[in-house]
Amino acid sequence: MPDDETTPTSEDTPTSEETPTAKETAAAEEIAAEERGGDSPAEFLAETAPETVAPPGAPLLSVRDVTLRFGGVVALDGVDFEVRTGEILALIGPNGAGKTTCFNVMTGVYKPTSGRVEFDGERLSGRKPHIITRMGIARTFQNIRLFPEMTAEENIMVGADAHHKTSVIGALLHLPRHGREERDGRRTAAELLEFVGLEGRGGELARNLPYGDQRRLEIARALATRPKLLCLDEPAAGFNPAEKERLQQLIRDIRDLGHTVLLIEHDMRLVMGVADRIVVLEFGQKIAEGPPAEIREDPRVIAAYLGVPEDAA
Amino acid sequence: MNYFSDRWHDLLPNLGDLVVAGLTQGAIYALIALGYTLVYGVLQLINFAHSEVFLVGTYASIIVWGWIGYAAGDGNPVPALGTVILLLGAGTIAASLVSGGTAVLIERVAYAPLRRKNAPRLIFLITAIGASVAISELVGELTNRRPWGVPLLVEPKTQFVIDPGMSINPAPVTNLQIGIVLSAIVMWFLLDTFLNRSRFGLGIRAVAQNEDTAALMGVNKDRVIMLTFLLGGLAAGVAATLYNLKIGTISFNIGFLLGLKAFTAAVLGGIGNLRGALVGGLVLGLVENLGAGFFGNKWIDVVAFVILVIVLMFRPTGILGDSLGRARA
Amino acid sequence: MLLEIENLDVHYGRIQALHGISLSVGEGEIVALIGANGAGKSTTMRAISGLRRPSTGRITFGGEDITKMRPDRRVVAGICQAPEGRGIFSGMTVQENLFMGAYTRKRGAQLNADLDHVYMLFPRLKERRRQPGGTLSGGEQQMLAIGRALMSRPKLLLLDEPSMGLAPMLIAQIFQIILEIRDQGTTILLVEQNAQQALSRADRAYVMETGSITREGTGADLLVDPAVRDAYLGVA
Amino acid sequence: PSDKSGDNGDGKSCTYKIAMMGPITGDNAGLGKPILQAVQLAVEKHNSAHADKCVTLEQADDKGDSSVAPGLAQGLVANASVLGVVGPAFSGPTSATGSIFEGGKLPIISASATRPDLSTKGWTTFHRSLGNDASQGPAVGKFIKESLKASKVFVIDDTSDYGTGLSEESKKALGSAVVGYEQIQPKQTDFSAVVAKVKTAAPDVVFFAGYYAEGGPLAKQIKGTGIKTTFVGPDGIKDQGFITGAADAAEGSIVTCPCIPAEKATGTFAADYKARFKEDAGTYAAEAFDAANVFLDGITSGVTDRAKMLDFVNKYDKDGVSKHIKFDAHGEIAADQIVIWTYDVKGGQIIAREPIK
Amino acid sequence: MTTLKERYYAVADGVRKAEAGRQKWAQGLRGRWQSIPKPVRLLAGLAGVVLLFALPNIAIPGIPFRTDEIPNGIGFSFVLSTIAIYVLVAVGLNVVVGMAGLLDLGYIGFYAVGAYTVAIFGSPDSIVATKYPWLICVPIAIALTMVSGVILGTPTLRLRGDYLAIVTLGFGEIIRLVAVNLRVTNGQRGIPSVPAPDEAHVDWNVFGWFRIKFDFDLDIFTPMDARPYYWLALVLIIVVILAVRSMERSRVGRSWLAIREDEDAASIMGVESFKFKLWAFAIGAAIGGLSGALFATRNVFVNSGNFNLLLSVMFVAAIVLGGQGNILGVVLGTVIVFYLPERFRFLSTKRELVFGLALIVIMVLRPQGLWPSRRRARELQDRKLEAKEAAAGA
Ligand SMILES: Nc1ncnc2c1ncn2[C@@H]1O[C@H](COP(=O)(O)OP(=O)(O)OP(=O)(O)O)[C@@H](O)[C@H]1O
Ligand SMILES: Nc1ncnc2c1ncn2[C@@H]1O[C@H](COP(=O)(O)OP(=O)(O)OP(=O)(O)O)[C@@H](O)[C@H]1O
Ligand SMILES: CC(C)C[C@H](N)C(=O)O
Ligand SMILES: [Mg+2]
Ligand SMILES: [Mg+2]
């Protein structure tokens, strides 16, 4: 960040101090907020948006004919679809259809039995998780997995560190980059906290946040890695309708920042309200793909998944 | 190359004897390993004090034999079969009771208070070490730090001879060796059946995997944990008696190395897995004895630990993997 | 009343999660408990099962004071919970998980009949009978958790967000099953985010906010209460 | 152990100290005890005779362990009132601490460390009041070949300074009679691998160069497999601990030692010892008594610092209870004073047999 | 009814207030210390350091803390120097265990490598007999231990939790046992006459071009007086602690923390966990090597008995007892674990029994350690209170 050196934050937080107290963080956040002069998300696009993005509409991630077997269970069976830059794609399907598994293949947790996954023109399988993150994929978990004993701010800074380079020698000798990156991390944290609606909570331990806030913090942490593609696995699980409403807005905001979003969710109101396109899996196979309006009417999807459309009403 | 052919030449004639001796020693490791693996499976805790649970068992059986009238060096002739069975029975029961009791005592004194405070597992490790040091030192004080000899109860008699021919010497297999290996297998079988078939066994496995849900299903966690320690102690008691018969000398500080080896065996086989403890014990005993025959006796422990490291490199959760533990995060 | 809670306070560390809540569940009822995230619903459930000890207050079950009873005793007394987060024994097979539900019961023909019943309700589980619980999908685990709770044949069944992570079709099915269980004589206390569904099936319901109970009434009444509609039923 | 020896009767503590260093606890503590007690006896005798020049005894418990010894040695060296050390008892600790005592110019007289090269490391402060393994080794060889008429001998040592030194010397002496050689680890308990080799070699005699803590179980396990062979061990197993450790298997073993049986010591030593400690004087008690008396005589004769003490020790020339004490330039006893004894294990006792001629 | 947002945050506010209150309570002293003006704090710290340096010369009548004031006690400065060396070991181990959360039970192996390196290259009695001065041996020792840290770490660090613990324990034993059996280490018998830091006896012929010849011995470091060793160790401790601290408060420290909390999540968040774990290992190893080098020269003699497993485990005990993660706590723990047995030498053979019991009692009463880091204290306090409210039977 070229203007870092001149921001007031840099003077307020000497690098050698220990992690700032809640008060300090709050102050830093205030300053950061003032500096932006408002809440408009467009202002910190620069902070979290990916550096280079393919033109909108071009395939960002493609799943090509992926099959995955666990012993006798065929979890994925020739699944083939793509996520396009700038869209919100929802992945839905009955329980055990293979959505989470598909996710895990995409993020490098599982290696497909056959087929391949390409991201931004590069092959993904076989790469280490941290490399995949640096390539631009971030995710949240079906069961929350924050660093419970770290503060909200620290959680986000860990995400921001994905693009930092300070290592042992730098930290040991307090090289200038170390200070610069620390300041950058704090600023990213402050901005993202505000973005997801957690302003002022940077100093709290993650484990002490209410459930909904933890979900939001997880999203903020993922955003801090500046992902091109953000993958959300059932982010609305355990939310009530009003909260889902808020989440829906948040997901839209994220897309507006320039991130592509892949969403697994069982709540049809949320999915239909936010997704640009939907891919439907059943028994490990893709049975439909298209815009929400189309999917809603697709008889196969209704039979396999939606059932009587009472729920969507 | 010359080195290796020389070593090989050293090893070859003794191969049969070493295999037999290795399996015997391995059976004792296996029995102690059962205790480590049980406790580990349930509490994810390396019960460092288990070596002392074993230790007190060795003393218990000797003391009981002394009461019955068979002490080391008292010039008594090797007793007749009936007496031997009586002595072994009494010794094993005494050792198992004392070991089991000690295990439960350790649980109550050194672990239960920490469990109540929900302390991280590393803390348990430290109190375990404390308990281990305290018990072994207490035994040291009580025995004047002198080794104790074990009376000769069973005259080793060759039951059959393995004669593989070639340049390998025929290896006699004694009644004692057969008994030791069989005991280990029987003990494992009993425990394994208990864990997999009985209701309590199911409870133990449930607590191992998810304490809270186990409580929701009606499992009394405290009782399960005590039971686990008790079972491990019983197995250690059996091991203690067999150790007495086989090694014949005990001392207050034998626990440490033996416990370490047994724990290694448990990890080798896949800690948390009873079958793993058996396999790990036998493999460890076998490999270290063959290694000692090949490289020379002084390398015996190096061989033991090197094999552990090698196995874990290729199978990060041991030969059979862990089974009481969790499968997917 | 089968279950009665009076004036319950529960803390997590220094955080107070429940502020003197009182509620009751009558024999044969379905009672729903709804509220925002962090309102204290799960905490209430844990307190009833005995996983959390209240700092003050009283819980009685079938007339007996169980406030200090150990959780395993409560199961014997007839309280069983399908917890939030499912609590699957990941290393045990599906079938073993189900048997864990019947831990306090005697083995026998009755048990096997119940097992068949669960398999009938969730055929997917029967298919995966020998698969370790930990490798099931999220929704399959949810089915397993509910099935397991049924296996204990409780007098009072506590369901903490049973619809979480389930596909729409299954959600409808789950609520159907809940009604069936009730009809077979089991009392049910149900925590749900899916307030619409929950309220329309419940005999009575409570609304929780930040650790207190703010409203109670029949399911039908709450369903039309504008404040409830506004907060929990969404704007649709 | 009592610390009474430090008082001169009226509770005033004394100006000068001598120290005993050796295993008071540890696996082989049995070997340290007679040495400690003999020194104690000597100090008590001295203090009652010379109340004006009374001496305090410092006990430095090295557990017979080389890794413990250096710290203790530095402690002794730093304490200026310590004028002499009886010990270290074992060869390992002695070789670990030799350069420390040398650096502190603190004279030491070991009553039991037998590794030959201890005297040739250039340490001017080192002395010992007994013969070393360069004598014991050949004596063992001679005895095994001539008295036991054995033609096949299996040698085992424990990798210690003492064990390796002695096994080397005895192998030299045994020559072609050696049919096998193995090493065991201190604290090892299962000797199956060694026993297998012994069985294959089928020796008439197994000679074990090491201490009783391992010697006992080793003897027991060798006998346990039914091999008919005579177990011979050196001074390191000459302790009751060998018998308790080997139990019935100890019977019939033979022990060699560069120590005289206490009852053969001159004067009233054996009786005094027994009167004071209610037990017979054990291994190296007489030698330790002599070593202590060298220092005590020095103090009696007015020595007040280490330099003078060293000088006094080097010039010492007097009969002790075990032999005539006079050190050569290396700190060794004259060759004609050295006698290696053999002992039988009989009826659970170690009983003097005869000196090896 | 209030708005959703208000309701939502009412709970969170409660959480935050309670948390703030608790932090204040838990920190009590620390807060007061922090409120003292900085120059005063600095001065106090300085005074503390001065006191530490003066310690071997201090005796307070009536408070017999000196180990040489008890029967059969060992020289106080000698004990101090041992403890200081062990503190250095513990500070290094704390990087691995306390910060990165890697349970390394074989850490003693690195300490051994450091000590043996100095003994082998420095002592005239070793078979290589290069007789390098101590000051030259130290960098060699550090380099070698770092390399061995990387060699051990590369294959083992993919193991998790207790498997890592047992493999490191195995490696620690292997290093010791190999030392028992190798010729360069002179087996069981060990290597005596390790040079002092202030002596050099060098006669090198560099490529036959010129000759370097030193022969001096300042006689500051002698077996008679352990104080210089103690002071040297103190200086090294201060330097190492400062270095470790600045690492802790950086991306590196944060990564360690994240790995400790949830390694999978950390690597999915872009933390190169292997690299950072390896760094932790290497840094820990280097510090271990340095302390080993210091130990070898102070002890003059090195053999495998100095590096037994129990000692290794004791270091972990010291760290946990003092309070893992907090360097000052670690120092305190080490001092207690290694000082008390010296102080209680008069208990003679019973002192280890007492020590074992003390270990249990202390840990049961204070599972968070005597002086834990703020983070750990909070964590433990939470867990404890939670456990208390959880039912008695659960
Ligand atoms: N390790 C495994 N071994 C065997 N079967 C597995 C394994 N992992 C997943 N499965 C099976 O693969 C199928 C797909 O699981 P997945 O978790 O992808 O489902 P999902 O679509 O995410 O379902 P849900 O909506 O319930 O979360 C399931 O039937 C599951 O049982
Ligand atoms: N283990 C815990 N430690 C600290 N606080 C906790 C813990 N568990 C819950 N809490 C807090 O207690 C309060 C009530 O939580 P609870 O889980 O009962 O809510 P809930 O109504 O079930 O919410 P949800 O709909 O998210 O499941 C929340 O503020 C929560 O943050
Ligand atoms: C006491 C003796 C057995 C000591 C032995 N001679 C040694 O040199 O170590
Ligand atoms: Mg899923
Ligand atoms: Mg809940």
Side-chain angles (χ1 to χ4, degrees), chain D residues 205-236:
Chain D
V205 165
V206 172
F207 177 66
F208 169 67
Y211 301 99
Y212 70 81
E214 289 80 26
L218 179 65
K220 174 147 186 154
Q221 288 176 40
I222 289 175
K223 202 152 206 188
T225 52
I227 309 168
K228 296 273 170 287
T229 174
T230 308
F231 191 87
V232 179
D235 50 341

Side-chain angles (χ1 to χ4, degrees), chain D residues 76-342:
Chain D
L76 293 176
V77 159
N79 185 344
S81 47
V82 175
L83 295 188
V85 178
V86 178
F90 286 7
S91 298
T94 311
S95 99
T97 55
S99 62
I100 297 172
F101 289 121
E102 182 67 16
K105 294 289 167 226
L106 177 57
I108 60 176
I109 306 175
S110 177
S112 52
T114 50
R115 184 177 172 86
D117 70 9
L118 293 176
S119 57
T120 57
K121 302 221 171 191
W123 298 327
T124 58
T125 48
F126 175 82
H127 308 80
R128 60 180 146 204
S129 60
L130 81 171
N132 68 34
D133 290 336
S135 332
Q136 186 172 208
V140 164
K142 191 168 167 216
F143 172 75
I144 290 177
K145 286 205 286 199
E146 290 173 11
S147 304
L148 298 180
K149 312 240 178 305
S151 55
K152 288 161 82 183
V153 184
F154 198 104
V155 179
I156 301 172
D157 75 42
D158 66 354
T159 67
S160 69
D161 282 81
Y162 164 57
T164 50
L166 179 56
S167 73
E168 228 165 82
E169 297 292 342
S170 51
K171 277 195 293 180
K172 251 190 270 167
L174 286 162
S176 59
V178 178
V179 293
Y181 169 62
E182 253 296 4
Q183 291 189 301
I184 59 155
Q185 299 280 355
K187 294 199 196 294
Q188 191 173 351
T189 53
D190 173 27
F191 300 108
S192 320
V194 176
V195 173
K197 282 197 179 171
V198 171
K199 228 175 89 184
T200 303
D204 307 321
V205 165
V206 172
F207 177 66
F208 169 67
Y211 301 99
Y212 70 81
E214 289 80 26
L218 179 65
K220 174 147 186 154
Q221 288 176 40
I222 289 175
K223 202 152 206 188
T225 52
I227 309 168
K228 296 273 170 287
T229 174
T230 308
F231 191 87
V232 179
D235 50 341
I237 68 165
K238 188 178 169 292
D239 186 82
Q240 206 57 28
F242 172 68
I243 294 162
T244 52
D248 314 85
E251 206 63 18
S253 304
I254 293 170
V255 181
T256 66
C257 185
C259 55
I260 58 165
E263 62 271 20
K264 300 273 195 264
T266 54
T268 58
F269 173 72
D272 292 351
Y273 188 103
K274 179 139 195 185
R276 170 69 178 82
F277 300 109
K278 315 277 175 289
E279 62 187 26
D280 287 324
T283 311
Y284 290 126
E287 287 78 2
F289 188 73
D290 287 345
N293 278 329
V294 175
F295 294 127
L296 295 169
D297 286 352
I299 289 167
T300 312
S301 73
V303 164
T304 54
D305 65 31
R306 288 177 185 172
K308 287 199 198 107
M309 181 60 91
L310 184 56
D311 203 43
F312 181 85
V313 172
N314 284 336
K315 295 206 177 103
Y316 198 81
D317 189 356
K318 199 170 156 190
D319 272 339
V321 297
S322 68
K323 56 179 78 67
H324 184 81
I325 306 291
K326 179 177 178 359
F327 303 103
D328 68 11
H330 294 294
E332 298 273 18
I333 290 290
D336 60 358
Q337 291 297 316
I338 294 167
V339 185
I340 311 292
W341 278 75
T342 57

Side-chain angles (χ1 to χ4, degrees), chain B residues 72-310:
Chain B
D74 59 4
N76 275 342
V78 177
L81 187 65
T83 323
V84 169
I85 292 173
L86 170 84
L87 287 171
L88 290 187
T92 311
I93 291 170
S96 294
L97 288 182
V98 171
S99 288
T102 309
V104 172
L105 184 76
I106 292 172
E107 202 284 317
R108 291 280 94 190
V109 171
Y111 303 148
L114 290 176
R115 278 197 290 115
R116 249 173 264 133
K117 290 184 180 177
N118 200 3
R121 280 160 44 210
L122 192 52
I123 313 295
F124 290 77
L125 195 64
I126 306 305
T127 51
I129 292 163
S132 171
V133 170
I135 296 176
S136 119
E137 285 295 318
L138 182 66
V139 172
E141 282 298 297
L142 294 177
T143 59
N144 265 324
R145 294 168 196 272
R146 285 242 166 120
W148 282 18
V150 181
L152 194 61
L153 297 185
V154 183
E155 185 82 68
K157 276 208 198 70
T158 306
Q159 300 298 305
F160 56 89
V161 176
I162 302 175
D163 190 354
M166 295 179 291
S167 36
I168 303 173
N169 289 347
V173 180
T174 65
N175 45 359
L176 198 59
Q177 288 165 326
I178 297 173
I180 290 174
V181 175
L182 277 185
S183 309
I185 294 175
V186 167
M187 197 68 202
W188 159 76
F189 182 77
L190 291 179
L191 278 180
D192 197 59
T193 315
F194 180 78
L195 270 191
N196 284 315
R197 300 269 176 279
S198 79
R199 209 174 63 98
F200 248 129
L202 202 60
I204 289 182
R205 289 168 59 211
V207 171
Q209 290 174 37
N210 191 333
E211 290 174 19
D212 273 0
T213 318
L216 286 181
M217 300 297 123
V219 181
N220 182 344
K221 184 175 146 193
D222 267 339
R223 194 181 307 159
V224 159
I225 289 173
M226 293 234 288
L227 183 71
T228 310
F229 275 87
L230 184 68
L231 289 178
L234 294 182
V238 176
T241 314
L242 298 177
Y243 182 90
N244 282 345
L245 295 180
K246 175 173 190 285
I247 302 292
T249 312
I250 57 171
S251 167
F252 71 100
N253 57 7
I254 54 170
F256 187 75
L257 186 64
L258 207 63
L260 192 63
K261 289 279 187 68
F263 181 64
T264 302
V267 175
L268 197 64
I271 192 155
N273 180 333
L274 287 187
R275 198 165 313 172
L278 184 70
V279 171
L282 294 177
V283 167
L284 186 69
L286 195 60
V287 170
E288 72 170 23
N289 272 283
L290 291 180
F294 187 79
F295 296 107
N297 174 72
K298 64 179 181 173
W299 294 97
I300 189 163
D301 295 337
V302 178
V303 173
F305 292 113
V306 166
I307 198 73
L308 170 78
V309 171
I310 291 175

Side-chain angles (χ1 to χ4, degrees), chain E residues 4-273:
Chain E
L4 175 78
K5 189 166 169 167
E6 277 166 357
R7 267 182 282 120
Y8 205 102
Y9 285 123
V11 174
D13 272 352
V15 172
R16 197 166 37 161
K17 270 196 211 112
E19 171 65 18
R22 185 182 50 217
Q23 280 188 19
K24 215 192 242 154
W25 177 86
Q27 288 165 22
L29 259 181
R30 204 190 290 258
R32 228 167 297 159
W33 168 249
Q34 226 98 57
S35 66
I36 300 173
K38 204 159 186 184
V40 181
R41 265 192 288 166
L42 249 151
L43 262 168
L46 211 66
V49 171
V50 170
L51 183 74
L52 280 180
F53 274 91
L55 202 53
N57 296 335
I58 298 177
I60 306 171
I63 310 175
F65 60 87
R66 292 182 66 100
T67 50
D68 41 13
E69 289 171 2
I70 51 169
N72 293 322
I74 287 191
F76 187 49
S77 45
F78 181 81
V79 170
L80 281 180
S81 67
T82 309
I83 291 173
I85 292 168
Y86 285 172
V87 164
L88 198 56
V89 177
V91 168
L93 181 57
N94 184 47
V95 171
V96 184
V97 177
M99 295 182 185
L102 304 167
L103 183 48
D104 182 352
L105 292 181
Y107 186 70
I108 197 91
F110 300 128
Y111 177 66
V113 170
Y116 268 116
T117 307
V118 171
I120 290 170
F121 290 111
S123 164
D125 288 347
S126 85
I127 59 168
V128 303
T130 43
K131 291 191 256 181
Y132 294 156
W134 186 77
L135 278 174
I136 293 183
C137 293
V138 171
I140 302 179
I142 293 180
L144 275 182
T145 42
M146 256 185 125
V147 169
S148 50
V150 171
I151 292 176
L152 292 198
T154 310
T156 52
L157 281 177
R158 43 187 208 108
L159 298 174
R160 292 286 166 88
D162 293 323
Y163 283 95
L164 179 67
I166 182 75
V167 166
T168 49
L169 188 145
F171 262 124
E173 267 302 86
I174 290 173
I175 290 180
R176 183 183 72 82
L177 290 165
V178 165
V180 174
N181 291 321
L182 280 189
R183 239 163 61 84
V184 272
T185 52
N186 202 18
Q188 177 68 24
R189 294 163 46 206
I191 302 173
S193 318
V194 180
D198 60 345
E199 60 177 311
H201 310 281
V202 165
D203 188 353
W204 288 333
N205 226 335
V206 184
F207 305 123
W209 291 350
F210 57 94
R211 193 163 170 210
I212 304 178
K213 192 164 159 48
F214 290 110
D215 210 352
F216 69 86
D217 186 348
L218 300 179
D219 267 337
I220 302 170
F221 293 89
T222 62
M224 254 105 71
D225 184 1
R227 282 177 307 173
Y229 288 102
Y230 169 65
W231 290 325
L232 176 61
L234 267 191
V235 171
L236 290 176
I237 289 172
I238 292 171
V239 170
V240 168
I241 284 184
L242 289 179
V244 168
R245 284 213 137 181
S246 62
M247 222 133 47
E248 194 183 358
R249 295 165 181 174
S250 73
R251 172 169 179 254
V252 181
R254 205 158 38 236
S255 301
W256 285 338
L257 196 53
I259 292 169
R260 203 178 75 196
E261 301 244 305
D262 185 338
E263 187 173 341
D264 289 322
S267 61
I268 288 174
M269 291 329 293
V271 176
E272 203 177 336
S273 61

Side-chain angles (χ1 to χ4, degrees), chain A residues 127-267:
Chain A
R127 297 195 188 241
K128 300 238 166 62
H130 70 269
I131 301 285
I132 291 178
T133 307
R134 283 189 205 158
M135 285 170 68
I137 301 183
R139 65 173 292 184
T140 63
F141 298 85
Q142 195 165 353
N143 318 313
I144 298 179
R145 287 177 83 171
L146 288 163
F147 305 120
E149 302 299 335
M150 293 170 87
T151 62
E153 186 193 38
E154 285 170 327
N155 266 281
I156 299 179
M157 284 176 81
V158 170
D161 280 338
H163 294 280
H164 291 164
K165 304 222 153 47
T166 304
S167 188
V168 171
I169 309 294
L172 203 60
L173 303 178
H174 286 281
L175 296 182
R177 182 162 68 199
H178 166 63
R180 204 164 55 228
E181 291 184 347
E182 285 298 287
R183 284 192 297 275
D184 172 58
R186 295 236 166 93
R187 227 170 64 113
T188 310
E191 284 166 356
L192 281 172
L193 282 170
E194 178 169 355
F195 177 64
V196 300
L198 289 175
E199 56 272 58
R201 306 199 137 57
E204 276 168 35
L205 291 190
R207 69 198 301 267
N208 287 336
L209 291 173
Y211 180 84
D213 287 358
Q214 293 195 10
R215 286 243 154 212
R216 261 182 277 276
L217 178 58
E218 231 194 351
I219 292 174
R221 184 181 67 177
L223 284 176
T225 67
R226 294 193 230 153
K228 294 173 191 158
L229 175 67
L230 176 67
C231 304
L232 305 170
D233 194 354
E234 300 197 27
F239 277 20
N240 65 34
E243 289 163 333
K244 282 176 184 162
E245 204 80 18
R246 270 169 61 89
L247 182 70
Q248 196 168 330
Q249 189 52 49
L250 182 63
I251 294 174
R252 283 205 201 96
D253 287 348
I254 290 171
R255 194 256 311 270
D256 293 344
L257 281 182
H259 304 277
T260 306
V261 178
L262 176 68
L263 173 71
I264 294 182
E265 187 51 67
H266 283 303
D267 185 275

